[in-house]
Amino acid sequence: MPRRAVLIALLALFSVGLFSAYPAFSQTAKETAVLGEMRLLHEQTRSAAEKATSEAQWAKTFNTTALTVTGIVLGIVAIFGIAFTIVFTRRIRDLTDEAKEFRDLAEKSMEKTESYMERAAKVTDELEKRREDIERSINAQVAQAIETIKAEVGKAVKEEVASAIEDLDRREKEAVAAIDKEKDRATEFHNFFMEGMEEYRNGNYEASLKAYNKALEIDDQHAIAWSNKGLALWRLGKQKEALKVFQKSLELNPSNSTTLTIIGGALCRLGRFHEALEVLEEAHKLNPDYAMAWSWKGYVLGKLELEEDAISAHEKAISLAPLDGRVLTQKAITLTDLNRHGEALVLLEEILKDDLEKEVESAAWSTKGLVLLEIGDQEEGLKDLKKAVEIDPNRAGSWYNLACGHSKLDQKDEMMNAIKRAVLLGPDEFKEKAKTDLAFEPLPRRP
């Protein structure tokens, strides 16, 4: 189809070109004739007239021929043009018919499309209506379900909240009651603990022991209470029982260097010097700057006759606590045991210038009395020994030293009274000594 249309168009253009070229072609022929005539005029030789006539005849013949050829060409072109026009017109009519058919088909398709669209619109409207109905139904069901759930949950929550509040109230009351009870227990424990300390300071060791026992009935996990109970037992002469109590305190607080030091001192008092030294070494590891641990170590080393080590330990203790009367008195006792009486006496006189605790002051006067007896001042020595028991009549060591003084002066009755008092206050420490020492020379000194 496109190729035939192109051929028809080319033929039409060719016909138009011929019609357009005809005037120019005719004009050219005329000009040629004029030129021929001019040539005739210019011919000066031979038969100008004949030549001119001949040329005119030729021009006329050429013009006639040209006109004839032109007419024939134009006729042919016209025939082809008419033929092409007829073919082209028929093709246009066919195309027009086809276009009309396509248009009719398009119109029918449009009609069907419009029909389908109308049906689609109706279906869409119906679906939309159904969707809205379903949505309203679902919303209504959801709303109803939510209301139901809210009601059920609200009821359950209210019940749970009420139960929780009731449980919280109960727990709060129980907690408050427990706290109050614990406060009461803590207050009661504190009161008994402080009572034990006060009675101990006043020398009422039996009352102190009872107070600590009551405190431990309330809280048996209090390490310091156990340790203080041990001190009260010790002052009551129950050294072995006291040592067990000290061990209980250490079990509750194994890292307490103070308790270890107390145990070391107790072992030393019971004559178990090597055990005491091991315990004191443990105390040093926990707290190398605890002065009393060094002081007791010096005391033990003095009993083991390790003089230089003993003095070095005491100096270390004094450097850590230069104003502690207990530390200074311990050194004075060691100096006395090592027969360095002059140094001991000078130190004791300095110690007694200060205000001291009753127990420490009694130990200082008792040690000074022994030193004076050793250097021959028996009157002053016995006087100081008696002053020591007057200051602290519950200190077994002071009574034992007084018995030693009476023995040295051959005062048997006074010696027996003093040793009985010492054994009564410290049976575990002095009972065995009394059996062996009273029949012989003056009894061993006890600081």
Side-chain angles (χ1 to χ4, degrees):
M1 291 291 292
R3 186 177 297 175
R4 293 171 64 184
V6 170
L7 291 173
I8 292 170
L10 290 173
L11 288 173
L13 290 173
F14 180 72
S15 299
V16 173
L18 289 176
F19 281 112
S20 299
Y22 175 74
F25 188 79
S26 179
Q27 182 65 30
T28 302
K30 289 178 181 181
E31 290 177 355
T32 303
V34 172
L35 288 174
E37 291 176 357
M38 290 178 68
R39 290 180 65 184
L40 290 175
L41 293 175
H42 285 84
E43 284 289 332
Q44 299 296 328
T45 59
R46 297 183 187 174
S47 200
E50 291 179 2
K51 192 174 184 178
T53 300
S54 177
E55 287 181 0
Q57 187 66 34
W58 177 86
K60 184 178 179 180
T61 301
F62 178 78
N63 188 27
T64 301
T65 303
L67 288 175
T68 301
V69 171
T70 300
I72 292 169
V73 171
L74 288 175
I76 294 170
V77 170
I79 290 170
F80 276 105
I82 291 169
F84 285 129
T85 299
I86 291 170
V87 173
F88 184 72
T89 301
R90 287 180 179 178
R91 185 58 188 160
I92 289 175
R93 186 176 63 236
D94 293 340
L95 291 174
T96 301
D97 292 340
E98 290 178 3
K100 184 177 180 182
E101 290 177 0
F102 284 125
R103 185 182 65 187
D104 292 340
L105 290 173
E107 288 177 354
K108 290 179 180 181
S109 297
M110 287 294 293
E111 290 176 358
K112 289 182 180 181
T113 301
E114 290 176 357
S115 176
Y116 290 144
M117 290 181 66
E118 289 176 359
R119 290 177 62 187
K122 289 180 181 180
V123 172
T124 302
D125 293 340
E126 185 177 353
L127 289 175
E128 181 65 21
K129 184 178 180 181
R130 288 184 181 180
R131 186 190 66 77
E132 292 176 355
D133 293 340
I134 293 171
E135 185 176 352
R136 280 193 296 269
S137 176
I138 291 173
N139 289 338
Q141 293 177 9
V142 170
Q144 184 179 0
I146 290 173
E147 291 299 326
T148 302
I149 292 170
K150 282 183 178 178
E152 294 296 329
V153 171
K155 182 179 179 181
V157 169
K158 286 180 181 178
E159 292 176 356
E160 290 292 332
V161 169
S163 176
I165 291 173
E166 183 179 350
D167 186 56
L168 285 174
D169 289 339
R170 178 179 58 78
R171 291 186 180 183
E172 183 179 3
K173 291 177 181 178
E174 291 176 355
V176 170
I179 290 171
D180 291 339
K181 184 177 180 180
E182 192 62 31
K183 285 182 179 179
D184 293 339
R185 284 171 56 83
T187 301
E188 191 175 6
F189 173 85
H190 177 75
N191 291 337
F192 284 128
F193 186 87
M194 296 306 295
E195 180 184 347
M197 292 183 65
E198 185 65 24
E199 295 293 350
Y200 186 91
R201 279 195 294 264
N202 293 332
N204 301 322
Y205 304 119
E206 195 69 47
S208 175
L209 180 61
K210 290 180 180 179
Y212 283 125
N213 282 333
K214 290 180 180 179
L216 288 168
E217 288 176 4
I218 298 171
D219 182 4
D220 63 354
Q221 300 299 305
H222 200 284
I224 297 177
W226 281 103
S227 181
N228 288 357
K229 176 184 176 179
L231 292 174
L233 285 168
W234 188 275
R235 295 307 300 269
L236 290 171
K238 301 177 181 180
Q239 282 83 8
K240 292 181 180 178
E241 185 179 352
L243 188 59
K244 293 180 181 179
V245 172
F246 292 143
Q247 294 289 355
K248 175 66 176 178
S249 176
L250 188 63
E251 289 175 6
L252 294 173
N253 188 3
S255 60
N256 192 326
S257 59
T258 300
T259 303
L260 279 169
T261 301
I262 292 173
I263 292 173
L267 291 170
C268 179
R269 292 285 183 84
L270 294 174
R272 296 159 62 176
F273 301 123
H274 292 288
E275 293 179 59
L277 192 60
E278 290 179 2
V279 172
L280 291 170
E281 290 293 346
E282 290 297 320
H284 288 320
K285 291 178 182 179
L286 293 173
N287 186 0
D289 295 328
Y290 184 42
M292 282 307 301
W294 284 102
S295 181
W296 275 111
K297 183 178 181 181
Y299 184 88
V300 172
L301 292 170
K303 292 295 184 182
L304 295 174
E305 298 182 356
L306 299 172
E307 184 173 347
E308 292 184 5
D309 292 339
I311 298 301
S312 176
H314 280 299
E315 291 299 326
K316 176 67 175 180
I318 293 172
S319 69
L320 294 170
L323 302 179
D324 192 327
R326 296 173 301 169
V327 172
L328 296 170
T329 303
Q330 287 273 56
K331 181 181 179 182
I333 294 170
T334 298
L335 289 171
T336 303
D337 289 338
L338 296 173
N339 295 319
R340 296 169 65 165
H341 300 117
E343 297 176 56
L345 188 61
V346 172
L347 180 58
L348 287 166
E349 288 176 351
E350 288 296 322
I351 293 170
L352 290 169
K353 291 178 182 180
D354 298 327
D355 292 331
L356 303 170
E357 295 180 5
K358 184 168 61 174
E359 183 182 2
V360 176
E361 187 177 6
S362 176
W365 281 110
S366 182
T367 304
K368 183 183 176 186
L370 289 177
V371 172
L372 290 173
L373 287 176
E374 290 292 335
I375 64 177
D377 193 346
Q378 298 177 354
E379 184 178 354
E380 286 297 322
L382 188 61
K383 183 179 177 180
D384 288 347
L385 289 170
K386 291 180 178 180
K387 187 173 182 177
V389 297
E390 289 174 1
I391 293 172
D392 188 358
N394 293 314
R395 185 174 184 272
S398 295
W399 283 105
Y400 187 83
N401 287 346
L402 179 59
C404 291
H406 285 304
S407 178
K408 197 173 186 65
L409 297 175
D410 201 24
Q411 298 174 350
K412 300 296 183 180
D413 293 337
E414 290 84 352
M415 179 190 70
M416 289 301 297
N417 290 332
I419 200 64
K420 287 179 181 178
R421 189 64 181 271
V423 171
L424 179 65
L425 293 172
D428 292 337
E429 187 175 1
F430 297 112
K431 187 175 182 179
E432 294 300 323
K433 286 184 179 181
K435 289 180 181 180
T436 56
D437 292 344
L438 288 177
F440 302 102
E441 56 186 3
L443 300 176
R445 292 183 302 277
R446 163 69 173 80

